[in-house]
Structure formats: structure tokens, C-alpha cells
């Protein structure tokens, strides 16, 4: 099981607000409610086994290469799901709660019959049979359809009106004796919906399919990684391994640190779902979990300060690391909730503690560049920054990662450029 938490899900923006701005929404092109629910479950529960990750990734990549389309009319799922959701009383032969009318039963039976027929046709199509990574799942579906319970359904003519007795017989099959088989078939179709939906996203966004490496090898290689929600992204390259498993990142405000951190952590998180990512290429050793700290809230309800919340978060991470498992750990502006002296000492002490965990990967950003100087004695720490170039008195940002520790300090320049000091000095006169 891949270990993570609500804080990380929020930091990465996996699920957006009502405006549909989350990572989930980028990948969600599902045609069915069941497919959408399954996709959400996949995003909440990344995989932690290499074989499972590469298997799912290979299926979706093959679907993308074949440009497969969802073969069903989404409208028939509305009828089928409403019909199947109403339980039938197995003893009396009558409908249970949420009673369906005769017309609804007839429409539901017809919808399920159509799903069964379309599935068989699609499973037998040459385009699907040529997709080797999907062969095992395709054979499982065909084996399910070959069950004697489905024989009457596959023989039933779709374009002819069913007799009352036929509807009654199929209703008993679909909602009583063969209910579990119908549910299994729908589950296969929902996975098919997810695969095709995510494959379509890969095609449209030009996302690539990462390669999962054995767990424990502590490797991450990214080329041209960018945040998937950006319209005009600047890609960056990054590599980490057991010998250099910590990155200390500096850069001025607005230089792009948080965006870069989210780009890397989002790519690594999504890669563990077996989905394509926003990059030119990627390989990674499978991890046991991920914990990020970008927007850590104060817990005012118990009177806890931001600094105390940070301390508790570091304690939680330390506890996870003590298990000996492999994690990706990210802190954006570690210990921003305390004074500079304490933040300096605490940052150095904690990162040195992280340095004793060669099986995990760490990225820590900080405004305290002096802390970087104290950490240079550690061989497994690399130093990067996002630069600011001055065009006269106007800062410009490349958003491109460079090696080293920045000396950029442009906060006062930005304050002066915005005329804040003049406003404070002259008050309303500045507007007259």
C-alpha cells in the first residue's frame, strides 16, 4: 500500500474545487459515473508494486497508441445503473426499495443486454486483440461472458421488442441469480473507461509514460518535467539517487520554487498510479509512500502556531522514516513559522537527520541560503536554485533550474516597484 495523507493530496491539488481545477480533472474524460468513481479511487490509492504500475501503464500507453474510443453509448449506463441499483426481493420476486415500474425494468433489461453485446463485440475486435498488455484482462472478460448464465443474453436479438416473459426472465438473471456476474462485468467496463479516458488525456496533452524501477533502488530521473495545469510551461531536468538523495532548493519569491516542487511531486505521485505524466521522459524506483508539506495550516482550534504545526509534521515524517521504508519527502520553506536564527539551526539539523536515510528521496526549499552553506559538507546533498535576472529595476524569471545556491534578494526592489513606500509616505496624494 502506498502511504500518503490528506495534507499531501491537498498540497498537490489532486482534487480541485468546484471550478474543476484539480489534477483529477485533467485526467477525467470518463464516460460513465462508475468510471469516474473508479478514477477517483485510483488517484486516492496509488500503487506500490512495480509490476502493477508497469502493467497499468503499458495498457494505457497501448490504448493511446491505438487511439481506441469508448465503444458504448454513455446513455445506456444511466438506464442500466439505475435499474441495477434497485434491489429485487429474491423471495417474493418483487422489487425492493426504490420500486421500478414495468417500463423502467424493460428499459433496464434492454440496456444491460446492449452492454453485454457491445462488450463481446469489442473484446473480439482485432484492434483490441492486438494489444498484448490488455490480453489478460480481455481474456477474463471473455471467460466471464462465456459463462452459461450469459448464453440467453447473447442470443437475444437487440432490435426486437422482448416479450413480457423474456423481460421477467432476464430481470431475474440480471438482478438476482446473475447479479454478481453483471457487477463484475460492469467493473471491467469501468476500468476500460478509465484506460481510454486517461489514454485520451495522454494524446491531447502529449504526456509520457514513466518506467517504474525496482523498489529500494532510490532513483528518480526526470527530463522536461512541468506542472500539468500550466498552459505555457517551462520544463526542468532532475536526477536523484542513493548517493545524492537530497536537494536543497533556493530562489527568490516568484522565481517558481513552489511550482517546480509541485511539478516534481505531482509527476512522482501520478507515476505511482500507472498514469502518464507531464514530462519528456521519466524513470523512478517504486516508493512506499510520499509526504509533502507546501501549504501547512495553523491549527488555531487547539491554539497551535504555524511553527508547532511544522514541528509536528517533521515528527510525523521522522516516524515514517524510522520504519526503514522508501519515501519521497518534500518541504517547501521548512520552518517558515519561526525566527530566522531558529529556522536556520532547525533546518540544518533536520536536513542532516534526513541525510541518514539513503533509501528515501528529499527535496527541501528554503529562503535561508546560509543553511545551504552549513550543509555543503554532506556528500549526498545537491544544491539548486531558480534564478532571477534583473532587467534594470525589473526582476525577470527564467523558471529554469540551475546548480548552486542563490544570492538573489529582490524583495525590496519589488516593494519599491509597486510604490508601496510612496503610498505609505504620501497617503492619498499619490493618486491626486
Amino acid at each position: 500500500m502506498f502511504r500518503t495523507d490528506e495534507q499531501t493530496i491537498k498540497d498537490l491539488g489532486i482534487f480541485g474545487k468546484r471550478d474543476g481545477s484539480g489534477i483529477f480533472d485533467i485526467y477525467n474524460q470518463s464516460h460513465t459515473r462508475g468510471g469516474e468513481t473508479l478514477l477517483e479511487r485510483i488517484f486516492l490509492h496509488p500503487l506500490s508494486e512495480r509490476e502493477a504500475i508497469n502493467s497499468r501503464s503499458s495498457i494505457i500507453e497501448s490504448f493511446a497508441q491505438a487511439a481506441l474510443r469508448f465503444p458504448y453509448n454513455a446513455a445506456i449506463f444511466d438506464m442500466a445503473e439505475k435499474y441495477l441499483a434497485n434491489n429485487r426481493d429474491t423471495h417474493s420476486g418483487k422489487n425492493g426499495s426504490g420500486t421500478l415500474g414495468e417500463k423502467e425494468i424493460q428499459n433496464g433489461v434492454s440496456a444491460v443486454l446492449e452492454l453485454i453485446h457491445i462488450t463481446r463485440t469489442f473484446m473480439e475486435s482485432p484492434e483490441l486483440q492486438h494489444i498484448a498488455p490488455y490480453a489478460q484482462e480481455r481474456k477474463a472478460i471473455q471467460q466471464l461472458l462465456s459463462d452459461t448464465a450469459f448464453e440467453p443474453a447473447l442470443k437475444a436479438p437487440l432490435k426486437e421488442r422482448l416479450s413480457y416473459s423474456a423481460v421477467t426472465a432476464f430481470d431475474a438473471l440480471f438482478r438476482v441469480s446473475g447479479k454478481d456476474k453483471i457487477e463484475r462485468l460492469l467493473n471491467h467496463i469501468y476500468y476500460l473507461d478509465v484506460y481510454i479516458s486517461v489514454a485520451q488525456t495522454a494524446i491531447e496533452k502529449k504526456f509520457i509514460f514513466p518506467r517504474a524501477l525496482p523498489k529500494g533502488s532510490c532513483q528518480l530521473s526526470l527530463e522536461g518535467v512541468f506542472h500539468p495545469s500550466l498552459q505555457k510551461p517551462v520544463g526542468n531536468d532532475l536526477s536523484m539517487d542513493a548517493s545524492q538523495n537530497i536537494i536543497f532548493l533556493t530562489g527568490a519569491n516568484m522565481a517558481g520554487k513552489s511550482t517546480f516542487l509541485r511539478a516534481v511531486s505531482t509527476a512522482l505521485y501520478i507515476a505511482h498510479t500507472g498514469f502518464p505524466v507531464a514530462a519528456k521522459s521519466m524513470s523512478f524506483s517504486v516508493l512506499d509512500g510520499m509526504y509533502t508539506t507546501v501549504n501547512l495550516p495553523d491549527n488555531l482550534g487547539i491554539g497551535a502556531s504555524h511553527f508547532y504545526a511544522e514541528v509536528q509534521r517533521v515528527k510525523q515524517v521522522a516516524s515514517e522514516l524510522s520504519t526503514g521504508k522508501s519515501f519521497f519527502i518534500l518541504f517547501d520553506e521548512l520552518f517558515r513559522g519561526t525566527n530566522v536564527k531558529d529556522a536556520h539551526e532547525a533546518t540544518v539539523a533536520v536536513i542532516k537527520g534526513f541525510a541518514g536515510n539513503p533509501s528515501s528521496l528529499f527535496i527541501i526549499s528554503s529562503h535561508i541560503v546560509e543553511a545551504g552553506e552549513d550543509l555543503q559538507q554532506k556528500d549526498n546533498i545537491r544544491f539548486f536554485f531558480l534564478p532571477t535576472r534583473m532587467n534594470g529595476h525589473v526582476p525577470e524569471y527564467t523558471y529554469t533550474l540551475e546548480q548552486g545556491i542563490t544570492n538573489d534578494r529582490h524583495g525590496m526592489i519589488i516593494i519599491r516597484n509597486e510604490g508601496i513606500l510612496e503610498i505609505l509616505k504620501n497617503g492619498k496624494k499619490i493618486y491626486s
Side-chain angles (χ1 to χ4, degrees):
M1 181 182 71
F2 189 87
R3 299 175 65 86
T4 189
D5 62 1
E6 186 178 349
Q7 175 68 44
T8 301
I9 300 295
K10 287 182 177 179
D11 282 343
L12 302 186
I14 297 298
F15 300 104
K17 299 178 181 178
R18 292 180 181 179
D19 59 358
S21 59
I23 302 300
F24 170 83
D25 300 288
I26 295 173
Y27 288 81
N28 181 24
Q29 299 194 47
S30 54
H31 304 78
T32 66
R33 283 191 295 258
E36 185 173 19
T37 300
L38 175 60
L39 182 64
E40 182 177 342
R41 191 162 70 242
I42 289 172
F43 266 109
L44 283 171
H45 303 285
L47 303 168
S48 59
E49 298 297 331
R50 181 192 182 196
E51 184 178 343
I53 292 170
N54 284 336
S55 175
R56 182 182 290 167
S57 180
S58 296
I59 290 172
I60 299 172
E61 184 174 17
S62 298
F63 277 28
Q65 291 170 348
L68 287 180
R69 297 291 180 179
F70 195 61
Y72 307 86
N73 182 339
I76 65 175
F77 283 91
D78 293 332
M79 288 188 289
E81 289 168 346
K82 178 182 178 182
Y83 159 71
L84 294 168
N86 283 266
N87 295 325
R88 175 167 160 165
D89 190 320
T90 57
H91 299 291
S92 65
K94 297 180 180 180
N95 296 325
S97 60
T99 304
L100 294 174
E102 184 178 326
K103 184 66 175 177
E104 290 174 309
I105 293 175
Q106 183 177 343
N107 289 339
V109 166
S110 297
V112 174
L113 284 172
E114 188 173 349
L115 288 176
I116 293 171
H117 279 256
I118 293 173
T119 302
R120 179 181 65 174
T121 301
F122 191 50
M123 292 302 116
E124 293 174 351
S125 65
E127 57 183 352
L128 196 65
Q129 290 189 350
H130 291 154
I131 297 180
Y134 189 68
Q136 184 175 350
E137 196 160 341
R138 178 176 56 80
K139 289 176 181 177
I141 296 172
Q142 289 180 314
Q143 184 176 359
L144 178 61
L145 290 174
S146 67
D147 191 287
T148 54
F150 284 106
E151 189 174 341
L154 291 169
K155 289 181 178 179
L158 287 180
K159 296 184 179 181
E160 295 181 14
R161 183 180 178 85
L162 296 172
S163 66
Y164 179 80
S165 60
V167 170
T168 302
F170 281 127
D171 183 40
L173 171 64
F174 296 156
R175 292 201 290 165
V176 184
S177 62
K179 181 181 177 181
D180 63 325
K181 296 181 178 63
I182 295 296
E183 290 176 346
R184 284 163 53 197
L185 179 63
L186 279 175
N187 192 55
H188 281 298
I189 295 174
Y190 293 148
Y191 267 102
L192 192 63
D193 190 10
V194 167
Y195 296 154
I196 292 174
S197 170
V198 175
Q200 187 62 32
T201 297
I203 294 170
E204 294 176 1
K205 300 287 186 179
K206 295 182 171 57
F207 290 171
I208 58 91
F209 291 86
R211 181 167 59 96
L213 305 173
K215 183 181 288 189
S217 56
C218 197
Q219 296 181 64
L220 174 62
S221 177
L222 283 160
E223 180 184 352
V225 66
F226 60 94
H227 195 276
S229 67
L230 295 178
Q231 297 299 316
K232 295 181 180 180
V234 176
N236 276 289
D237 300 345
L238 181 72
S239 62
M240 303 175 73
D241 57 34
S243 66
Q244 294 184 314
N245 65 320
I246 299 179
I247 287 176
F248 185 80
L249 177 68
T250 52
N253 285 328
M254 301 169 63
K257 296 195 305 299
S258 294
T259 299
F260 168 74
L261 293 174
R262 283 193 176 96
V264 173
S265 50
T266 298
L268 194 51
Y269 185 96
I270 291 174
H272 279 81
T273 68
F275 289 172
V277 303
K280 291 183 178 178
S281 69
M282 178 180 182
S283 60
F284 66 102
S285 56
V286 176
L287 299 168
D288 293 300
M290 171 188 295
Y291 293 95
T292 69
T293 309
V294 178
N295 292 312
L296 189 64
D298 300 341
N299 195 339
L300 300 179
I302 61 171
S305 68
H306 187 83
F307 176 66
Y308 185 74
E310 289 180 301
V311 170
Q312 291 301 306
R313 185 64 170 173
V314 173
K315 181 179 179 180
Q316 178 189 2
V317 167
S319 178
E320 291 284 24
L321 292 171
S322 69
T323 64
K325 294 183 179 296
S326 300
F327 293 96
F328 174 78
I329 305 297
L330 183 152
F331 281 94
D332 186 15
E333 301 295 346
L334 183 61
F335 296 126
R336 72 178 77 172
T338 189
N339 65 76
V340 175
K341 184 177 185 300
D342 280 346
H344 182 166
E345 293 179 359
T347 296
V348 171
V350 167
I351 294 177
K352 284 184 177 179
F354 288 161
N357 293 269
S359 62
S360 292
L361 300 171
F362 304 85
I363 302 182
I364 297 95
S365 75
S366 178
H367 273 307
I368 306 173
V369 297
E370 295 81 5
E373 297 169 4
D374 293 340
L375 293 167
Q376 289 184 341
Q377 58 185 299
K378 290 289 183 179
D379 294 335
N380 59 331
I381 302 178
R382 299 179 71 191
F383 300 89
F384 289 94
F385 70 98
L386 287 159
T388 304
R389 310 291 187 221
M390 295 304 299
N391 183 1
H393 292 290
V394 179
E396 295 180 347
Y397 309 103
T398 69
Y399 307 114
T400 302
L401 208 61
E402 296 186 15
Q403 288 198 48
I405 301 174
T406 185
N407 289 315
D408 296 337
R409 299 176 188 273
H410 301 118
M412 283 304 299
I413 293 175
I414 295 172
I415 289 173
R416 291 192 180 97
N417 286 348
E418 293 298 318
I420 293 173
L421 300 181
E422 286 79 2
I423 295 172
L424 292 172
K425 180 179 179 181
N426 300 320
K428 294 182 179 179
K429 292 181 181 179
I430 194 171
Y431 299 109
S432 59

